Amino acid sequence: MYGFRIKIGIIFVVLFFMLINACSFPERKRAIKKQPILVDRFRPLPEIRLKDDSDRQFVFSNKIAGFFTGHTHRYNSTNFEGWTVNEVHLLKDYRLFQNGRELKRDRLRVFVLRPYGFERIYANGTVESFVPLDSVDALFIKIKADKGDRIVLNLTDYKKDVSAKTPEVVVKRRSFNGLQLKANYFKANDGQHYFILRYGKFSADDSISVREIENFEKAAARRKERMEQLLQRYPFFVRNRQVMKALQWSLFSLDALVTKQKGAGIWAGLPWFNNYWGRDTFISFHGALLVNGQFETAKSILRNFARFQMKDENSQELGRIPNRITNNETIYNTADGTWWFIRAIYEYFLYTGDQSFLQEMFPYVRRALEGAIGKRVDELGFLTHRDAETWMDAVGSEGPWSPRGNRAVEIQALWYTALQIGAQMAKNIEGEDSQGQKWLLLSRKVKDHFNRYYWNETRQALYDHLNADGTADQQIRPNQMFAVTVPDLPGIEPLLTRQRQEAVARFVTSHLTTPYGVLSLWYKDENFHPYHHYLPYYVPDAAYHNGLIWCWLAGPAISGQVKFDQEGSAGQLFLNEVDQILNFDAIGSFAELLEPVLRKGEQRPRISGTISQAWSLAEFLRNFYHDLVGYQPIAHENRVLFQPHLIDGIEEIRCRVPFKDDHLDVHLQKTATGMKFRLHSNFPHQRIDGYVRFPGDSIPVKIFIPDSGRDFEYEFIAADTTSDSVKLARRWHLAKIDSGLKFATIYKIPFKLLRGKQVFFPIGRNGPTVIYQRDELHDDTGQNGMFTYPENKVFEEGIADLKSLTIYDNDSTWGFRIDLRNLVDPGWHPEYGFQLTFVAIAVNDPTLGGVYSTEVGHLAQYRLPNRRKFNRIIYIGGGLEIRDGNDRRIALFVPVDEKHPLGYVQHKQIRFQIPKEFLPGLNHKSRITVLCGLQDDHGGSGLGDFRVVLENAGQWHGGGARGRHSSNVYDVLMVN
């Protein structure tokens, strides 16, 4: 009798909840047999047509190791632009001539960009077609003109005109690492002119046949077909033409960065990050490969990085994957790349359910986790790291521009997530249960301490990092958002409570997220830099992570916003990205950076950095699938989760998403009262379940599809009775920078800025000689006589070999002339007049007094004898700096144009003058020491430092040093 009553009670409870469900929600339609969701699989490739003369940039790759960047309406002007193959720059640009007259790019009728190439249609109707071919190092240029026209392609000096006697191809055959740049010309009977540019090994025969032209035409057609297949395999439709176009172009622009330069990988960005960065690769991984089902490529990239994992048990970097892989070196200075790698492995598993690959990757995950635990984890369980090992890694002459050691907030979020993933993986691998439990316990220790030490109760937000002394850094940066988004994966425990997650996402939105993107530093911070290139006030790297908008950061910002149903702010940000992709430079791609403050008289922010950045494109695509469509697969459980958000401006989405080894079709459509959701399965004899949660609805709807060819369909009717005033109060608002702010980085400079006219000391304008001192030649071998130059050919012999110092009395200034055995200008910063040489001039001026020093700065690691102490020192590299004996900057000159160079390569001289007020007591008896080495601007720009010399030379550092504290000075000249 007692058991019968229990049964009756259970039945009553079940009936009660069924009644409540029926009253609260519209009846869910059962999974029924319906026609497949209609997706236009044969949509033509997009194109962008520019009919005005506004110049834009573009970029193509050959999917292996070559790329070409250019301008639509003008010629390339820097050595970063043009054609590069395998990290070798081959060609800056070319010019075309028709019957002796130049075809002017600034007078086009129209420029047409397509994913596989472009057309320039000139004012006279002549058509130039350009296609870089897939998988080979070749450019295919075709000119359609009148039958009798004569076309000339000039590659050697595109500022030089041609004559009637000029051959059809003007090219100076050049050799690069034993390979050659070769150009061939062919004229067809129908008046078509063909130019084939190739890089490789060739025979002496320069001719090209009709059959070879036909093969090149077929190769160009195959490139187009490959891109059509890329679009058709996972087609999508968005009822918003601009969004649709931006998604298509993002797909193609990102695919161009997935290459095989040194194994499979993803270039970080073009034109100068044409190598593999671990961090960038695996942040880009989801949007570049998973959302469009490129699972084989995804596995190849994971395997490629796994083989480069640091395996040296004695290394502090044990277990790390590389920060950067180039053709010449592999570098491991990244605190986060390894954990993005592990997260990518887990995301791949969620999409595919590939248990065997998970087991294959487990040893690399174990080495990474155990290496960190043994080498870099503190007593609180936090992962420690150096100042410049996070993604905010720019380094200048005074060290990291954004030092975040030794425990950054996103590093702990990634570390925690990796431990949780490791524990999940260990569950499925025989004999690894105890290992998994160890990682799980450590992750919970990290979680407990993270919430205790990183939470700022006053701000209701997280600290950006903990300093080495345990204090919390007070700067407001966006990295705290990763504590919300990084652990947000099925099977992973949240790092923060939902309440704290919402507070963090709201704080980042209101303080750091502008309509154009996310600031890298709060705009009211004293170190906020409103512009990127803003010489002479600061060098670009000073601004790099200190205020600039990083386009990729919109990804986690949008994810955090839609998680809490903030479709207004998320939609505004997403649609602004659409505008940037289609209408900002570069055309059809997505840049690395935006300046956060508009320049005077300009209507939109300037882009900066690379013109096509992988993680910017990838996060845009990930946001579409993961946050707007709301798709999250759990393939190993045959489950799918959806949390769709149709933002304002998007009424309908139809798309195909990858699931295991096939796909699902999704249809979302706004209605007057809510949203229609439809899911179509293409899996034979497989049940799929999961749930869908609609915006504003706390109760998810269960998804159940029993077998192939079945649909799940549900119409959600919002039952929100919240008043408009309450909704408005709950809405998150984006940050707005006050245009009237006086930024300290511009208006509060504690030293004197020297202008070009004050420093410029041209050849032949010498006053009376005050000092002249010669130095022995070929003594540029360091204190131990063993120094050698770096292996890279740009470091020519003699560029650190002092020849003489001359000082002139130029009335109100002192003129300095430094003669060297050699001086070079690789063209990276033509405004300097030279590069790669770094000089320090230490002066003892008794009339100034003050503190004296013997320590030479800027990484010289050189101490002068006490008799040569100084109270003023001048540093010359990518600019000029004067410091006192306290190492306090007194004056600075930064070249801003080519009118006031410091170097004269043809004369092998560095020349400058400084006002006498800085050295009033200088005379022929002054004790002066000149130190010369190689310049290192740390990959950015500006003054730079002495380049490091190690025991063995590498591509970018010298060799011959002995001992850890060896100096980086190659040559010394002493006066008096």
Side-chain angles (χ1 to χ4, degrees), residues 371-387:
I373 291 168
K375 302 283 187 179
R376 302 182 295 277
V377 170
D378 68 10
E379 66 280 359
L380 298 173
F382 294 147
L383 190 67
T384 64
H385 54 85
R386 292 188 285 268
D387 275 342

Side-chain angles (χ1 to χ4, degrees), residues 453-687:
Y453 288 97
Y454 282 85
W455 185 250
N456 185 324
E457 187 65 29
T458 304
R459 289 179 183 164
Q460 289 291 291
L462 294 169
Y463 293 111
D464 181 68
H465 63 272
L466 300 183
N467 297 309
D469 63 4
T471 59
D473 182 79
Q474 298 296 322
Q475 285 190 307
I476 296 174
R477 293 187 180 275
N479 304 299
Q480 58 187 294
M481 183 65 93
F482 294 108
V484 178
T485 60
V486 166
D488 193 14
L489 294 167
I492 305 303
E493 300 170 11
L495 180 57
L496 301 171
T497 64
R498 186 169 177 84
Q499 182 181 2
R500 284 191 173 182
Q501 288 183 55
E502 184 173 4
V504 167
R506 183 168 192 157
F507 184 85
V508 171
T509 298
S510 62
H511 285 74
L512 293 156
T513 307
T514 75
Y516 290 103
V518 181
L519 305 173
S520 49
L521 181 66
W522 190 36
Y523 62 91
K524 291 185 180 179
D525 193 286
E526 285 287 299
N527 198 32
F528 179 81
H529 293 66
Y531 314 111
H532 192 193
H533 295 268
Y534 206 65
L535 301 173
Y537 296 97
Y538 49 79
V539 297
D541 270 2
Y544 203 41
H545 300 106
N546 291 317
L548 297 183
I549 290 171
W550 282 75
C551 300
W552 80 279
L553 289 177
I558 289 172
S559 294
Q561 289 160 2
V562 301
K563 184 170 186 176
F564 299 99
D565 296 333
Q566 294 296 322
E567 295 175 341
S569 55
Q572 190 176 353
L573 196 52
F574 186 82
L575 293 178
N576 209 314
E577 290 184 291
V578 169
D579 183 45
Q580 291 175 43
I581 291 165
L582 297 179
N583 300 313
F584 285 32
D585 229 0
I587 183 171
S589 196
F590 204 176
E592 179 186 13
L593 307 165
L594 280 178
E595 291 187 341
V597 177
L598 297 182
R599 304 247 183 164
K600 188 175 181 180
E602 297 185 6
Q603 302 302 310
R604 57 172 50 164
R606 292 187 184 182
I607 74 159
S608 200
T610 63
I611 60 174
S612 184
Q613 186 81 356
W615 58 15
S616 302
L617 293 157
E619 282 295 273
F620 176 72
L621 287 167
R622 184 191 64 81
N623 281 145
F624 174 73
Y625 286 98
H626 186 71
D627 299 308
L628 272 61
V629 177
Y631 175 55
Q632 174 60 69
I634 312 176
H636 61 289
E637 297 178 0
N638 256 27
R639 298 179 65 225
V640 291
L641 312 178
F642 283 91
Q643 298 187 57
H645 293 83
L646 290 177
I647 60 175
D648 288 344
I650 297 180
E651 300 294 320
E652 182 182 14
I653 296 174
R654 296 172 184 258
C655 66
R656 179 157 293 163
V657 294
F659 185 73
K660 300 177 82 171
D661 57 355
D662 210 313
H663 64 267
L664 304 170
D665 289 339
V666 185
H667 183 198
L668 305 172
Q669 187 172 18
K670 279 186 182 178
T671 65
T673 55
M675 183 191 303
K676 284 184 179 180
F677 174 87
R678 183 178 166 204
L679 180 66
H680 176 75
S681 169
N682 297 278
F683 286 84
H685 314 298
Q686 289 193 42
R687 190 186 83 174

Side-chain angles (χ1 to χ4, degrees), residues 293-414:
Q294 296 190 60
F295 296 148
E296 288 304 313
T297 302
K299 284 199 295 187
S300 296
I301 291 173
L302 288 166
R303 284 175 175 143
N304 193 34
F305 268 85
R307 74 186 177 96
F308 283 102
Q309 186 179 40
M310 174 57 73
K311 300 176 180 67
D312 182 356
E313 297 284 342
N314 297 317
S315 171
Q316 277 296 113
E317 296 166 337
L318 175 64
R320 283 183 173 181
I321 63 151
N323 183 36
R324 188 168 73 247
I325 302 172
T326 72
N327 287 343
N328 299 302
E329 60 184 354
T330 304
I331 304 168
Y332 293 87
N333 58 332
T334 171
D336 53 352
T338 307
W339 319 122
W340 285 113
F341 165 75
I342 291 175
R343 193 178 188 274
I345 293 170
Y346 189 63
E347 285 192 296
Y348 166 83
F349 177 64
L350 291 172
Y351 267 83
T352 65
D354 187 346
Q355 184 69 41
S356 63
F357 186 73
L358 203 67
Q359 292 179 347
E360 179 186 334
M361 289 292 106
F362 185 76
Y364 302 100
V365 173
R366 180 171 50 208
R367 184 182 292 116
L369 294 173
E370 289 300 297
I373 291 168
K375 302 283 187 179
R376 302 182 295 277
V377 170
D378 68 10
E379 66 280 359
L380 298 173
F382 294 147
L383 190 67
T384 64
H385 54 85
R386 292 188 285 268
D387 275 342
E389 288 189 329
T390 75
W391 77 274
M392 294 185 163
D393 56 359
V395 176
S397 58
E398 297 180 20
W401 289 109
S402 310
R404 302 182 61 237
N406 66 346
R407 287 157 292 177
V409 63
E410 81 280 11
I411 301 301
Q412 309 316 315
L414 284 159

